Amino acid sequence: MYLHSILWADLRFNRTVTSSSCFIADNYTLQMIDQIIDIPSIIQTTHPQILVFEFDRPDVISLQTLSIIHQQFFEIPLIMITQYHSEALAIWALRSRINDYLISPIQPTELIKSITRNNQNHRTLYHASLTINIPNELSFQQNYRQRTALATSYIDMHYNQQITEAIVAKLCNMSISNFSRIFKHEQQKTFREYIINYRIQKACDLLKHTNANISNIAFQTGFNDVSYFSKLFKQIIGKTPTAFQQITQQPSISKKSAKTTKVLQNTPNTIPYQIPTV
């Protein structure tokens, strides 16, 4: 075991601001991580003495996973740092038996005192499984009765990135085969079908409301092959992406044209309409 070792999970959305980990003294061994899915395996490998979860605004997946990790490694003190603060979130942390709840920005002395106090005085008080409801303002109306709710939340946040079934199965604390079976039962689609349909629906939104070209939209929604994207799009939607974009944007174009015609009709004859130069 490292002497005074800390595993620091930087789970902020905005990482342009310096992390509070910069306040950690030299007599601590600090290991930074920014992928929440890797935390359990790293804990088992490095055996840290303190866990720190740093947020700007916690999300559903992070809080659910934090709770699971805290129960799994109950013997390790856990400190939660958050920029977003509410009474409901503080109560959730208290009921989840988080060892310390700090509000960012924090003073260096405040962080060091928390780490020292929890490292010296931590006692194992429980080993029971706790299920504490996520505060409503952070829940995004997810159905937590579904065992695969964390998977759908993860897809919602990372649909434009590479997502493997192994990653989300691990997130839901299931084997791949068990996850595959339960996911299809709860979502009425296979994992692959769900991701493809989700990405295509996101592509539809972009095609309706932007003038971006098809290649850019394919890449923005997680497809690396434009021809494959177009093929799947036509299979699911019944039209090519180009045809869909033209049809769905035509009404707005017509409305603009009608509005322009009305303005011209109501313009007094004494004020000639001039075509603007480009």
Side-chain angles (χ1 to χ4, degrees):
M1 178 182 293
Y2 294 125
L3 180 62
H4 302 304
S5 60
I6 301 173
L7 179 61
W8 190 294
D10 185 355
L11 304 175
R12 299 172 300 153
F13 291 105
N14 179 16
R15 292 181 185 148
T16 59
V17 180
T18 303
S19 166
S20 298
S21 61
C22 66
F23 300 141
I24 297 299
D26 294 336
N27 60 323
Y28 287 92
T29 300
L30 179 65
Q31 182 174 7
M32 300 293 297
I33 184 172
D34 58 9
Q35 295 292 326
I36 198 167
I37 195 69
D38 297 330
I39 293 176
S41 59
I42 292 178
I43 292 176
Q44 292 173 342
T45 302
T46 61
H47 306 291
Q49 293 172 304
I50 297 282
L51 300 177
V52 179
F53 282 65
E54 183 179 17
F55 304 97
D56 38 21
R57 180 183 175 89
D59 58 27
V60 170
I61 295 176
S62 299
L63 290 181
Q64 287 278 10
T65 308
L66 180 152
S67 181
I68 292 171
I69 290 173
H70 193 38
Q71 293 173 37
Q72 185 177 359
F73 302 96
F74 58 91
E75 72 279 5
I76 307 176
L78 190 150
I79 299 171
M80 176 178 171
I81 302 174
T82 176
Q83 183 176 344
Y84 173 84
H85 166 66
S86 70
E87 182 179 357
L89 183 59
I91 291 174
W92 176 87
L94 177 65
R95 290 178 176 174
S96 299
R97 298 180 182 174
I98 305 302
N99 296 84
D100 215 343
Y101 176 87
L102 305 177
I103 303 171
S104 179
I106 59 179
Q107 295 298 319
T109 53
E110 180 184 11
L111 175 61
I112 297 303
K113 284 181 180 178
S114 175
I115 290 174
T116 303
R117 180 176 62 253
N118 284 289
N119 193 30
Q120 293 176 347
N121 301 329
H122 178 65
R123 296 290 184 272
T124 301
L125 300 178
Y126 73 99
H127 189 190
S129 177
L130 298 176
T131 302
I132 309 298
N133 291 332
I134 302 296
N136 289 334
E137 73 252 31
L138 299 173
S139 66
F140 305 111
Q141 299 179 343
Q142 289 292 334
N143 182 2
Y144 292 103
R145 290 175 296 178
Q146 291 186 336
R147 296 180 64 185
T148 56
L150 283 177
T152 56
S153 296
Y154 186 89
I155 293 170
D156 181 58
M157 295 178 62
H158 303 280
Y159 68 90
N160 58 345
Q161 304 170 15
Q162 182 180 3
I163 303 176
T164 66
E165 196 166 8
I167 288 177
V168 289
K170 186 176 181 181
L171 182 65
C172 295
N173 198 27
M174 302 180 198
S175 67
I176 296 177
S177 59
N178 195 33
F179 170 82
S180 180
R181 177 179 56 81
I182 294 174
F183 188 93
K184 185 174 182 180
H185 173 73
E186 291 187 346
Q187 308 301 333
Q188 305 302 307
K189 292 181 179 68
T190 66
F191 179 72
R192 180 177 179 276
E193 289 170 345
Y194 185 94
I195 290 182
I196 288 175
N197 278 271
Y198 192 93
R199 287 171 171 168
I200 292 298
Q201 289 304 316
K202 288 293 184 181
C204 286
D205 292 339
L206 292 173
L207 289 166
K208 286 179 183 177
H209 303 110
T210 71
N211 291 320
N213 62 49
I214 305 304
S215 297
N216 287 341
I217 289 177
F219 296 140
Q220 287 179 44
T221 52
F223 294 95
N224 296 324
D225 188 321
V226 179
S227 61
Y228 179 64
F229 162 71
S230 298
K231 179 181 177 181
L232 287 176
F233 191 96
K234 187 173 182 179
Q235 287 178 356
I236 295 172
I237 305 301
K239 294 179 176 64
T240 65
T242 302
F244 180 86
Q245 188 176 47
Q246 291 173 345
I247 293 171
T248 54
Q249 290 196 6
Q250 189 62 40
S252 61
I253 294 173
S254 299
K255 287 179 182 178
K256 289 180 181 178
S257 299
K259 185 177 180 181
T260 303
T261 301
K262 185 176 181 180
V263 170
L264 291 176
Q265 289 174 345
N266 295 334
T267 302
N269 293 331
T270 54
I271 303 177
Y273 177 75
Q274 296 181 351
I275 299 176
T277 57
V278 178

